[in-house]
Amino acid sequence: MSDKKTAGSDLTEAALYYHSHPRPGKLEIQATKPLGNQRDLALAYSPGVAAPCLEIARDPATAADYTARANLVAVISNGTAVLGLGAIGPLASKPVMEGKAVLFKKFAGIDVFDIEVDETDVDRFVDAVAALEPTFGGINLEDIKGPECFQIEARLRARMNIPVFHDDQHGTAIIVGAAVTNALELARKPIGEVKIVASGAGAAALACLNLLVSLGARRENIWITDIEGVVYEGREALMDEWKAVFAQPTDKRTLAEVIDGADVFLGLSAGGVLKPDMVARMAERPLILALANPTPEIMPEEALAVRSDVLMCTGRSDYPNQVNNVLCFPYIFRGALDVGATTINEEMKHAAVQAIAGLAKEEPSDVAARAYGGASETFGPKYLIPSPFDQRLILRIAPAVARAAMETGVATRPIEDFDAYLDRLNRFVFRSGLVMKPIIQAAGREPKRIIYAEGEDERVLRAAQVLIEDKLAVPILVGRPEVLKARCERFGLRIRPGVDFEFTNPQDDPRYRDYVDEYFTCVGRKGMPPDAARTIVRTNTTVISALAVRRGEADAVICGLEGRFIRHLRDIRQIIGLRAGVRDLSALSLLINSRGALFLTDTFVTVDPGAEELAEMAHLAAQEIQRFGITPKVALLSASNFGSRDMPSSDKMRQALEILWRDCPDLEVDGEMHGDAALSEALRQRVMPDTRLKGEANLLLFPNLDAANIALNLLKVATDALHVGPILLGTAKPAHILTPSVTSRGVVNMSALACVEAQKRDAEG
């Protein structure tokens, strides 16, 4: 079996597991109002629900005030052209539609019902969808084959008074439009003069070409090829009215014949159709959009080997300039819904094109630079369009689309205060649960060697496969090779020890004597006799892993999946030690839930810290938070609320605050305060109007370990939060001690974080 087939089989198994556990599917419905007593039920349903019903009957526009309609989109398909899988039918398309739904929610906070319609007749399909208009604020058509998709969208747009958007067409077209806009600017070519050659004549390709025409390209300069060859005047095979618009009066019949002198190649067809010799015959500084997936029409390295002046885009995430629909569709709908748009017109699409193109030319913000390890790309051949991970996309596209809707008269609820609107969008960015994105992307730029003490654990093995496949880290697993191999096979994993990843066998390591000597250097004067040191180096995998990092044979260590935290902490402290200038270690925990990201410290290390230790914890934690691209907002918590109660713990929190104000004047911090005041500016200002902390705190500092650890575990369960951590702060080299409850996903997240930390240490020398 080839590696490609094996990798594909493994991805299939992982995808099936992902979709079926811990419960089937990717969506659920949650109530947004309290339903805790009889009065709540009376308000939610009978008799209270009659009041909003009557208001909406009197004025239909008030449905936006009393129901979820204004933030609800239907993702609708009949399964006739699914994600490269073809006509697999509506039921089989449901996982894709659920996937589209979760992207809407994650990236733009838009709620979605996915609707799979068992109908291929255009008239009946249109009737079914049009009848749903009272339910939704917008319609996203998905995976419907051409040419029916053109007919369906046109008829629905004519019949419905809400936005109807076929993302396969227009989403791709908008991103292509932005890429072409910026590439032609770099190449100094007016769009009205360039020759465009397209391979593929499906819905996406034709939508791209139509949008480019509306941006200034000339139809006579556009050449289309498909499976039948060149689209020419008089051709009868595989023709339709939408394709015929671009038919050329020519006797040329193949892509090879029409590619000469082309300024832009647009590929939405099949892998390998654009040959290197064709690239050689294109115009100076050509733009190649090879968007077939997973294999582009030509691989970037092949094109660049022929022409060093090529500007290149693909649909793949492992190359620069990824044309990915998630760059635009959530944010276009966000802007359209927020003004109650009745349609998504050409002006709104143009606004999205310009917003995406403009963002690529912006200098990286300080937040973005921190988030991406100080290595943010800038406008140029490798950065024609923004990364799908850029958190500013919603802040640029949604307002631009909203303004265009207002200016063209299709907005039923115009925005009156755009500053307030931008502030609301900005708050969403940090509540979207996507805080790990910049860390993951930064890790992939320079993967580091991470050694795992519990290498035989299933969670580590599963995480290792993800890290290897996604090129996020170079895992080194401590474990017996025969056990590692057997468990990989048992769990259906593709990776194998000694082939795909390195391992350290604790029972037979040629470095054993050197490790013993190194360990004895660390602990020999701390009551550790030589015989005991030899035994520990043979049996304690955390000690082995920490010694590998100390000796420079690995860049970071991850341990703690088995055994007590305090035992692992002792080994890390003895072998890796403290960073210069740090008093002691501390642990930071990140919880990601529907409210966003919340950091808590110290959740695992210091039992009863003093004021100086608390101040140091806050300072180290704030530095770590900035790595996520988040500005830290620190609240020092106590049973006292700004001096309401005197006791030893509240007194030391006040002292810690004074130290932070003195030593970290740029840090936004205040206290001591109650937990609810930390998360509610309104509550905080009632008792302290001149508080130095604005908005919600995102870093909570606790007076002792009991309070921090109890709060962490209660919040984790009560809010169904994802726990990232604990993140060990203050070590001389990257080391993290996880907990026995961690999942394989948690191991991946912490591995990415350890990798970025190791990158930073290398950069600092």
Side-chain angles (χ1 to χ4, degrees):
M1 183 179 288
S2 69
D3 287 345
K4 185 174 181 180
K5 280 189 176 180
T6 308
S9 300
D10 180 75
L11 181 61
T12 298
E13 180 183 342
L16 292 174
Y17 182 87
Y18 174 89
H19 281 79
S20 60
H21 291 80
R23 55 188 289 188
K26 299 190 285 279
L27 297 173
E28 67 177 1
I29 294 175
Q30 290 188 345
T32 61
K33 299 294 190 294
L35 294 167
N37 54 42
Q38 185 62 39
R39 180 169 176 78
D40 290 341
L41 294 175
L43 292 171
Y45 198 54
S46 180
V49 74
C53 289
L54 292 172
E55 284 296 308
I56 295 169
R58 182 184 60 79
D59 180 4
T62 61
D65 301 317
Y66 300 120
T67 75
R69 181 177 186 262
N71 194 53
L72 186 62
V73 165
V75 172
I76 301 181
S77 180
N78 61 6
T80 53
V82 179
L83 198 67
L85 302 175
I88 61 174
L91 183 59
S93 78
K94 189 171 181 64
V96 180
M97 302 311 122
E98 286 189 0
K100 193 65 175 283
V102 297
L103 293 178
F104 266 111
K105 186 66 174 179
K106 274 292 185 183
F107 284 90
I110 294 171
D111 295 314
V112 167
F113 288 155
D114 65 290
I115 299 177
E116 293 73 35
V117 181
D118 190 9
E119 185 57 72
T120 56
D121 179 80
V122 171
D123 291 332
R124 295 178 65 183
F125 185 91
V126 168
D127 287 342
V129 175
L132 298 172
E133 182 169 349
T135 304
F136 298 102
I139 303 292
N140 183 99
L141 299 172
E142 192 78 16
D143 293 349
I144 301 171
K145 75 180 181 73
E148 289 90 336
C149 61
F150 299 111
Q151 300 170 312
I152 287 170
E153 185 188 45
R155 294 186 192 180
L156 287 174
R157 284 169 61 93
R159 287 178 59 174
M160 302 182 80
N161 205 37
I162 57 175
V164 177
F165 188 83
H166 187 207
D167 182 49
D168 298 322
Q169 296 180 57
H170 307 300
T172 302
I174 287 165
I175 304 160
V176 164
V180 170
T181 297
N182 280 347
L184 294 183
E185 179 179 324
L186 279 178
R188 297 185 176 86
K189 297 179 180 179
I191 191 170
E193 297 177 11
V194 298
K195 178 180 178 180
I196 300 171
V197 175
S199 174
L206 293 175
C208 290
L209 296 174
N210 284 324
L211 183 61
L212 292 177
V213 168
S214 72
L215 291 170
R218 296 165 62 187
R219 290 187 186 275
E220 58 265 33
N221 292 339
I222 296 174
W223 299 72
I224 296 181
T225 63
D226 61 11
I227 196 169
E228 287 288 327
V230 173
V231 173
Y232 60 90
E233 289 183 356
R235 196 181 103 173
E236 296 182 359
L238 291 180
M239 290 296 289
D240 56 54
E241 60 185 286
W242 298 276
K243 194 186 300 183
V245 170
F246 294 98
Q248 290 278 14
T250 181
D251 58 0
K252 296 177 180 179
R253 296 294 182 264
T254 66
L255 174 61
E257 292 178 273
V258 298
I259 196 68
D260 289 7
D263 298 281
V264 177
F265 171 82
L266 173 63
L268 284 154
S269 53
V273 301
L274 184 65
K275 307 302 181 185
D277 66 291
M278 299 181 193
V279 175
R281 304 201 307 272
M282 293 180 71
E284 181 183 359
R285 298 205 81 182
L287 169 64
I288 295 177
L289 297 126
L291 306 184
N293 251 331
T295 305
E297 283 77 5
I298 187 169
M299 296 299 288
E301 52 267 26
E302 292 181 284
L304 290 165
V306 179
R307 297 282 298 272
S308 61
D309 62 342
V310 164
L311 303 171
M312 192 82 199
C313 298
T314 71
R316 293 172 50 138
S317 61
D318 53 346
Y319 289 99
N321 299 320
Q322 182 193 13
V323 175
N324 185 330
N325 284 14
V326 80
L327 268 168
C328 73
F329 74 79
Y331 316 122
I332 289 172
F333 269 97
R334 180 74 278 158
L337 292 173
D338 289 341
V339 294
T342 57
T343 187
I344 295 176
N345 56 32
E346 285 300 301
E347 291 83 358
M348 293 162 74
K349 288 187 273 186
H350 285 193
V353 168
Q354 297 306 322
I356 295 169
L359 180 55
K361 290 182 278 192
E362 288 186 32
E363 290 189 7
S365 67
D366 292 341
V367 170
R370 286 197 303 268
Y372 296 103
S376 297
E377 291 286 354
T378 56
F379 181 56
K382 292 185 178 180
Y383 197 70
L384 296 171
I385 49 178
S387 163
F389 293 106
D390 197 315
Q391 295 174 321
R392 296 170 294 174
L393 283 163
I394 192 172
L395 304 177
R396 302 295 183 271
I397 300 173
V401 169
R403 285 186 188 277
M406 290 164 58
E407 291 168 358
T408 55
V410 298
T412 62
R413 298 189 307 275
I415 294 170
E416 296 180 1
D417 186 343
F418 263 89
D419 289 337
Y421 179 55
L422 286 169
D423 183 60
R424 191 167 83 237
L425 293 176
N426 196 55
R427 288 201 306 272
F428 167 77
V429 167
F430 295 107
R431 284 190 172 185
S432 62
L434 299 171
V435 293
M436 285 302 298
K437 288 194 309 178
I439 299 295
I440 297 292
Q441 189 176 32
R445 279 199 293 268
E446 187 187 350
K448 292 295 185 180
R449 302 165 299 168
I450 301 179
I451 188 165
Y452 298 84
E454 293 87 8
E456 296 176 358
D457 190 286
E458 178 183 358
R459 293 164 293 179
V460 171
L461 290 166
R462 291 191 179 278
Q465 178 154 296
V466 172
L467 295 167
I468 292 167
E469 290 180 347
D470 293 350
K471 299 178 182 178
L472 299 178
V474 180
I476 304 169
L477 274 57
V478 179
R480 296 158 291 176
E482 67 277 8
V483 174
L484 292 171
K485 181 180 178 183
R487 292 188 178 181
C488 285
E489 292 172 353
R490 184 198 309 169
F491 303 138
L493 303 178
R494 176 178 56 85
I495 56 174
R496 294 295 181 267
V499 178
D500 302 294
F501 62 87
E502 296 180 37
F503 64 89
T504 293
N505 183 357
Q507 296 180 344
D508 183 19
D509 190 340
R511 301 166 296 184
Y512 171 69
R513 293 185 182 278
D514 294 335
Y515 273 37
V516 170
D517 291 343
E518 189 80 32
Y519 184 52
F520 193 72
T521 299
C522 300
V523 300
R525 294 184 179 274
K526 298 178 181 178
M528 178 69 65
D531 287 348
R534 284 190 284 271
T535 300
I536 288 173
V537 173
R538 182 76 74 188
T539 59
N540 188 322
T541 57
T542 297
V543 167
I544 293 169
S545 302
L547 288 169
V549 172
R550 179 183 172 94
R551 287 162 52 88
E553 295 162 355
D555 300 304
V557 56
I558 287 181
C559 59
L561 283 80
E562 298 172 5
R564 294 192 304 155
F565 185 94
I566 194 69
R567 176 178 66 81
H568 296 284
L569 181 66
R570 176 201 64 205
D571 295 332
I572 295 298
R573 182 181 272 127
Q574 288 178 340
I575 298 168
I576 291 180
L578 304 181
R579 193 191 316 171
V582 173
R583 289 170 173 267
D584 199 2
L585 303 179
S586 58
L588 175 69
S589 288
L590 164 60
L591 293 179
I592 304 173
N593 57 27
S594 59
R595 288 183 63 92
L598 186 64
F599 295 85
L600 297 80
T601 197
D602 171 15
T603 49
F604 280 90
V605 178
T606 307
V607 174
D608 189 15
E612 292 282 353
E613 291 171 300
L614 286 165
E616 180 179 80
M617 290 174 188
H619 184 215
L620 292 174
Q623 291 178 327
E624 188 70 23
I625 291 171
Q626 289 177 330
R627 192 170 293 160
F628 290 84
I630 297 173
T631 301
K633 295 174 175 285
V634 190
L636 279 65
L637 301 188
S638 173
S640 171
N641 205 24
F642 294 103
S644 66
R645 187 170 182 178
D646 288 322
M647 50 189 178
S649 63
S650 61
D651 184 57
K652 74 175 177 182
M653 299 306 276
R654 293 175 206 138
Q655 293 178 38
L657 180 66
E658 293 294 337
I659 295 169
L660 288 167
W661 280 351
R662 181 193 69 206
D663 296 343
C664 307
D666 295 329
L667 183 63
E668 192 173 334
V669 55
D670 213 336
E672 82 290 6
M673 69 181 75
H674 289 169
D676 55 357
L679 300 180
S680 170
E681 185 174 29
L683 288 176
R684 188 164 60 252
Q685 288 192 332
R686 286 181 193 172
V687 294
M688 185 53 61
D690 63 345
T691 175
R692 298 192 188 184
L693 180 62
K694 305 301 180 186
E696 294 183 12
N698 53 32
L699 171 57
L700 306 182
L701 191 70
F702 293 86
N704 56 50
L705 183 59
D706 275 344
N709 194 270
I710 291 169
L712 167 67
N713 288 294
L714 283 175
L715 285 170
K716 184 168 61 173
V717 175
T719 65
D720 193 26
L722 170 67
H723 178 211
V724 179
I727 304 165
L728 196 59
L729 305 177
T731 54
K733 294 187 176 183
H736 297 292
I737 307 167
L738 308 186
T739 62
S741 63
V742 72
T743 63
S744 60
R745 179 186 179 193
V747 176
V748 170
N749 283 334
M750 287 304 299
S751 299
L753 198 61
C755 183
V756 174
E757 186 179 352
Q759 293 170 356
K760 185 173 184 291
R761 300 290 179 90
D762 284 353
E764 293 172 348

